[in-house]
């Protein structure tokens, strides 16, 4: 609080130091152990609330730091609440609301309020990259030791890994382009390669498309010499073409992209049609936040469906449309469009790498989310909001440095 005495300031500094340690534990375990990540995240939340008990006058400053983001996110929260309150089970919807936009976003909230040191932000980013890389090593090891294994993904589900790598690979690429020390750059390039190999073994086609679009785009925006970018893209394309030519497994997944009779594609089309029928019956607010699974199983499942146990629409956009209606879907899409514009405009205006990393994370996850409901996957959303929080806090601290 304003006018706090030196002893109180020291106490707050100690609490924030422990918060940093807890968040570091969360970052390191985020791709390795859901249980450990939840423990560290819960400890961070408790410590952050303790810190806010002593000092909370800076909350307003956090909200005002980027009004556009606050408003865009607030619109989504408002639309989601209306959808939940109008559902058949508003109590369940409100509980889910607290999980999705409370607990799963603790990483972002804590970083913005309690981590105000760029060195600590670097540590958190580095530990997150290390966690992803260790899981990638496990994925590749499983693929080598058990070649008959179907879509290895290390310590998590293959869809969760695909969602994380969709954002991580472009960021690894940026690190290889912009880190100052040569040893760090080469390490980043190696981790990029490791991630690409893991994603190929993962065999999630939506993530292949997301990375295939986002990584070259981010590299183009960040490259000082566009000729080198073109040569690099050609070289990577040739290497990947060779990998597909030599691997029957990769060829199989590649051949299924346009095959509507392929089970995964066919099932997605059916559940997308079901989601759209939900929207037609409930155009404004959908069937209710958190009610998609129940509505699908009891009323909207297609008689042709061969996977009746599905509980989501396999698409962020269709999930929002069926579950939260036009209002929720427009709020969702509006928020992400604003996030993309925020990253691009900030990069061209300030050339701050955090803006480009923000753009890469948003684009990667959202493109992969066109064919997967990754915003409903706990591991992905916790990671996603956490790393966005790191980027945003870096941007805010950089602007404060420029003003001082």
């Amino acid at each position: 609080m304003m006018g706090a005495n030196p002893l109180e300031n020291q106490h707050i500094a100690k609490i924030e130091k422990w918060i940093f340690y807890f968040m570091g534990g969360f970052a390191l375990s985020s791709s390795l152990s859901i249980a450990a990540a939840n423990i560290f995240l819960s400890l961070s939340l408790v410590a952050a609330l303790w810190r806010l008990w002593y000092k909370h006058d800076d909350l307003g400053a956090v909200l005002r730091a980027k009004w556009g983001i606050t408003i865009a996110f607030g619109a989504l929260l408002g639309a989601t609440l209306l959808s939940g309150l109008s559902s058949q089970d508003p109590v369940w919807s409100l509980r889910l609301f607290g999980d999705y936009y409370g607990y799963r976003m603790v990483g972002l909230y804590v970083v913005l309020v309690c981590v105000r040191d760029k060195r600590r932000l670097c540590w958190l980013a580095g530990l997150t990259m290390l966690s992803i890389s260790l899981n990638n090593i496990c994925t590749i090891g499983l693929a080598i030791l058990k070649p008959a294994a179907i879509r290895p993904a290390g310590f998590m589900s293959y869809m969760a890994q695909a969602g994380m790598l969709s954002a991580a690979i472009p960021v690894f690429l940026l690190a290889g382009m912009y880190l100052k020390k040569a040893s760090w750059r080469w390490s980043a390039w190696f981790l990029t390669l490791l991630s690409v190999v893991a994603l190929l073994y993962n065999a999630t086609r939506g993530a292949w498309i997301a990375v295939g679009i986002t990584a070259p785009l981010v590299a183009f925006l960040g490259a000082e010499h566009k000729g080198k970018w073109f040569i690099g893209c050609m070289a990577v394309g040739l290497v990947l073409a060779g990998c597909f030519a030599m691997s029957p497994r990769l060829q199989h997944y590649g051949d299924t992209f346009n095959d509507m009779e392929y089970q995964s594609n066919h099932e997605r089309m059916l559940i997308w049609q079901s989601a759209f029928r939900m929207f037609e019956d409930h155009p404004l607010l959908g069937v209710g936040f958190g009610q998609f699974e129940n509505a699908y199983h009891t009323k909207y499942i297609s008689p042709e469906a061969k996977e009746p146990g599905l509980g989501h629409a396999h698409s962020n956009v269709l999930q929002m449309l069926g579950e939260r209606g036009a209002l929720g879907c427009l709020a969702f899409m509006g928020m992400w469009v604003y996030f993309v514009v925020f990253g691009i405009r900030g990069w061209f205006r300030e050339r701050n790498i955090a803006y480009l990393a923000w753009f890469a994370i948003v684009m990667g996850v959202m493109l992969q989310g066109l064919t997967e409901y990754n915003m409903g996957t706990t591991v992905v959303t916790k990671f996603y909001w956490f790393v966005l929080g790191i980027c945003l806090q870096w941007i805010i601290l950089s602007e404060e440095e420029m003003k001082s």
Side-chain angles (χ1 to χ4, degrees):
M1 290 179 286
M2 295 298 291
N5 60 57
L7 288 177
E8 188 171 279
N9 287 334
Q10 290 178 13
H11 187 59
I12 292 170
K14 287 182 180 179
I15 297 174
E16 291 184 346
K17 187 176 182 179
W18 277 105
I19 290 172
F20 166 66
Y21 292 151
F22 293 146
M23 292 307 297
F26 167 74
L28 184 57
S29 58
S30 58
S31 294
L32 305 176
S33 170
I34 294 176
N38 285 337
I39 290 172
F40 283 117
L41 196 63
S42 298
L43 290 171
S44 301
L45 175 59
V46 172
L49 292 174
W50 186 17
R51 185 266 193 195
L52 289 173
W53 175 264
Y54 286 96
K55 183 181 180 182
H56 52 266
D57 56 295
D58 49 359
L59 280 177
V62 171
L63 293 173
R64 292 190 300 269
K66 294 296 176 185
W67 266 120
I69 290 176
T70 302
I71 292 171
F73 179 62
L76 176 64
L77 294 185
T80 303
L81 271 175
L82 287 174
S83 175
L85 291 173
S86 70
S87 72
Q88 293 183 347
D89 190 352
V91 174
W92 167 251
S93 295
L94 289 175
R95 287 177 59 189
L96 200 65
F97 181 88
D99 178 34
Y100 271 55
Y101 301 109
Y103 185 66
R104 296 189 189 189
M105 294 184 65
V106 163
L108 179 141
Y109 301 144
V110 170
V111 167
L112 290 180
V113 175
C114 302
V115 183
R116 298 187 56 78
D117 183 326
K118 281 190 172 182
R119 290 173 299 177
R120 290 182 175 180
L121 292 176
C122 288
W123 270 103
L124 294 178
L127 289 171
T128 305
M129 293 172 71
L130 176 60
S131 180
I132 292 171
S133 300
L134 291 173
N135 190 65
N136 289 338
I137 291 171
C138 181
T139 299
I140 295 169
L142 286 173
I144 294 173
L145 294 174
K146 297 181 179 181
I150 299 175
R151 303 175 73 172
F155 298 97
M156 62 179 69
S157 71
Y158 61 84
M159 276 299 183
Q161 185 190 41
M164 296 178 77
L165 289 179
S166 295
I169 290 175
V171 174
F172 282 141
L173 185 62
L174 279 177
M177 295 170 64
Y178 278 92
L179 286 175
K180 294 180 180 180
K181 291 185 179 180
S183 58
W184 293 354
R185 289 197 302 274
W186 283 109
S187 297
W189 286 118
F190 174 73
L191 296 181
T192 305
L193 175 62
L194 200 68
S195 298
V196 170
V197 174
L199 186 60
L200 288 176
Y201 278 123
N202 178 283
T204 300
R205 296 161 299 161
W208 288 356
I209 294 173
V211 173
I213 294 173
T214 305
L217 178 57
V218 168
F220 177 78
L221 292 171
E224 294 182 4
H225 305 287
K226 306 306 181 187
K228 291 183 178 180
W229 169 85
F230 180 77
I231 294 172
C233 286
M234 291 293 292
V236 171
L238 289 173
V239 170
L240 290 176
C243 291
F244 274 83
M246 292 186 294
S247 172
R249 184 172 180 270
L250 292 179
Q251 288 179 26
H252 164 71
Y253 283 109
D255 291 341
T256 63
F257 270 104
N258 297 320
D259 184 2
M260 290 300 104
E261 298 303 317
Y262 184 62
Q263 173 58 25
S264 178
N265 297 348
H266 185 62
E267 203 70 27
R268 273 180 169 78
M269 294 300 298
L270 292 177
I271 201 167
W272 290 350
Q273 291 169 7
S274 297
F276 193 78
R277 286 200 296 273
M278 294 181 197
F279 163 68
E280 289 180 319
D281 290 346
H282 308 272
L284 184 60
L285 297 173
V287 296
F289 176 55
Q291 302 302 313
F292 183 95
E293 183 175 4
N294 179 62
Y296 177 68
H297 289 163
T298 58
K299 183 177 180 181
Y300 292 97
I301 189 169
S302 169
E304 300 178 48
K306 297 180 181 179
E307 298 178 30
L310 292 178
H312 58 80
H314 272 296
S315 166
N316 286 334
V317 177
L318 271 299
Q319 179 83 18
M320 297 295 163
L321 194 64
E323 184 181 72
R324 309 184 204 184
L327 188 63
C329 189
L330 286 173
F332 177 78
M333 294 302 296
M335 182 181 71
W336 296 126
V337 168
Y338 181 83
F339 280 14
V340 169
V341 173
F342 172 81
I344 289 290
R345 289 183 62 186
W347 168 246
F348 282 119
R349 185 178 63 247
E350 300 180 20
R351 295 291 167 171
N352 184 335
I353 192 63
Y355 278 108
L356 203 51
W358 169 284
F359 171 76
I361 294 163
V362 172
M363 283 292 293
V365 172
M366 287 302 101
L367 286 174
Q368 197 253 342
L370 293 176
T371 55
E372 173 61 22
Y373 182 41
N374 55 26
M375 297 311 296
T377 305
T378 303
V379 176
V380 176
T381 49
K382 288 177 182 175
F383 156 81
Y384 179 71
W385 291 114
F386 175 58
V387 292
L388 280 186
I390 293 173
C391 293
L392 187 57
Q393 186 69 310
W394 187 281
I395 291 167
I396 293 171
L397 294 178
S398 297
E399 292 179 352
E400 291 178 357
E401 290 171 357
M402 292 175 63
K403 292 177 182 177
S404 62

